[in-house]
């Protein structure tokens, strides 16, 4: 179930040379979560680029209603207002997800299901973290979900295996060479797809 009626869709930018608006979505809402540390590291990489602006959407700080409906009431609309316009405005997404029980968190699925047009014809990259698998099984479960809402997932990912041991207390990586390279590659792919799809949506509005 998805709804695109809660908040009106923002107009797509007409300037194809304007910076790409990247929304970094922190998918975990669990107490003691590690996600904000990973998201802060990745968002820091993105903000260094001259071709991107970054908006971090933390689902723990902007909780969405748990009961999906096509007719959200005032409380539901107020909660959606904190998230939906920001997804509307984005040209691309980076989803930061842990792996819970071989998949991704329910809070992330809830955010996906509350929206539809906000994902359409936009690229999505994944930054995952976890134990030995690095959250990659969560990523593979997310790809068909986003395909169903007409999003385009990029090939390359950033993954942190046994993530808690890789970061210093202040959020810095102990060995950043590999992750830095992976983040750069994924951001390059997101930038290419974001610009191409933004131009396409502006020229020919997307329809299902």
């Amino acid at each position: 179930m998805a709804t695109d009626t809660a908040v009106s869709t923002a107009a797509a930018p007409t300037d194809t040379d304007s910076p790409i608006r990247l929304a970094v979505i922190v998918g975990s809402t669990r107490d003691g979560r590690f996600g904000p540390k990973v998201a802060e590291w990745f968002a820091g990489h993105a903000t260094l680029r001259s071709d991107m602006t970054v908006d971090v959407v933390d689902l723990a700080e902007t909780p969405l209603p748990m009961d999906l409906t096509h007719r959200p009431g005032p409380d539901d609309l107020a909660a959606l207002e904190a998230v939906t316009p920001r997804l509307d405005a984005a040209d691309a997404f980076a989803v930061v997800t842990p792996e819970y029980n071989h998949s991704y968190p329910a809070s992330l699925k809830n955010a996906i299901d509350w929206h539809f047009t906000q994902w359409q014809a936009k690229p999505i990259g994944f930054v995952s973290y976890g134990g030995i698998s690095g959250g990659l099984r969560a990523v593979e479960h997310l790809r068909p979900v986003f395909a169903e809402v007409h999003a385009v997932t990029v090939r390359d990912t950033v993954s942190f295996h046994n993530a808690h041991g890789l970061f210093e207390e202040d959020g810095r990586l102990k060995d950043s060479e590999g992750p830095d390279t992976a983040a750069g590659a994924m951001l390059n792919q997101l930038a290419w797809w974001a610009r191409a799809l933004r131009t396409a949506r502006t020229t020919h509005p997307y329809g299902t």
Side-chain angles (χ1 to χ4, degrees), residues 122-126 142-144 146-147 151-156 193:
K122 295 180 183 180
I124 297 177
F126 300 103
L142 281 165
R143 289 189 187 277
F146 277 113
V152 177
T153 60
V154 302
R155 177 193 180 277
D156 287 5
W193 279 104

Side-chain angles (χ1 to χ4, degrees), residues 6 8 21 31-32 41 46 52 65 73 121 143 148 175 182 187 190 192:
S8 61
R21 296 178 291 190
D31 287 344
W41 170 85
M52 285 186 177
R143 289 189 187 277
E148 184 65 18
D175 181 3
L187 285 166
L190 280 173
W192 190 94

Side-chain angles (χ1 to χ4, degrees), residues 35-104:
K37 186 170 290 190
V38 178
E40 182 179 1
W41 170 85
F42 183 78
H45 266 276
T47 57
L48 294 176
R49 298 177 63 108
S50 61
D51 60 347
M52 285 186 177
T53 62
V54 180
D55 178 22
V56 177
V57 181
D58 189 336
L59 297 180
E61 296 178 356
T62 55
L64 294 173
M66 294 304 296
D67 295 326
L68 294 172
T69 175
H70 288 293
R71 297 178 178 85
D75 291 342
D76 292 345
L77 286 172
L80 288 162
E81 280 284 359
V83 175
T84 304
R86 297 161 71 183
L87 303 186
D88 268 329
D91 299 306
F93 304 96
V95 175
V96 179
T97 183
E99 182 178 316
Y100 294 162
N101 298 324
H102 216 92
S103 194
Y104 54 91

Side-chain angles (χ1 to χ4, degrees), residues 87-159:
L87 303 186
D88 268 329
D91 299 306
F93 304 96
V95 175
V96 179
T97 183
E99 182 178 316
Y100 294 162
N101 298 324
H102 216 92
S103 194
Y104 54 91
S107 51
L108 185 53
K109 185 61 160 66
N110 189 47
I112 296 168
D113 290 348
W114 264 113
H115 300 93
F116 186 59
T117 58
Q118 291 77 16
W119 311 116
Q120 286 183 342
K122 295 180 183 180
I124 297 177
F126 300 103
V127 182
S128 65
Y129 60 96
I132 193 170
S133 72
L136 290 174
R137 292 175 292 200
V139 170
E140 292 311 306
H141 285 191
L142 281 165
R143 289 189 187 277
V145 174
F146 277 113
E148 184 65 18
V149 291
H150 300 261
V152 177
T153 60
V154 302
R155 177 193 180 277
D156 287 5
T157 65
V158 181
S159 61

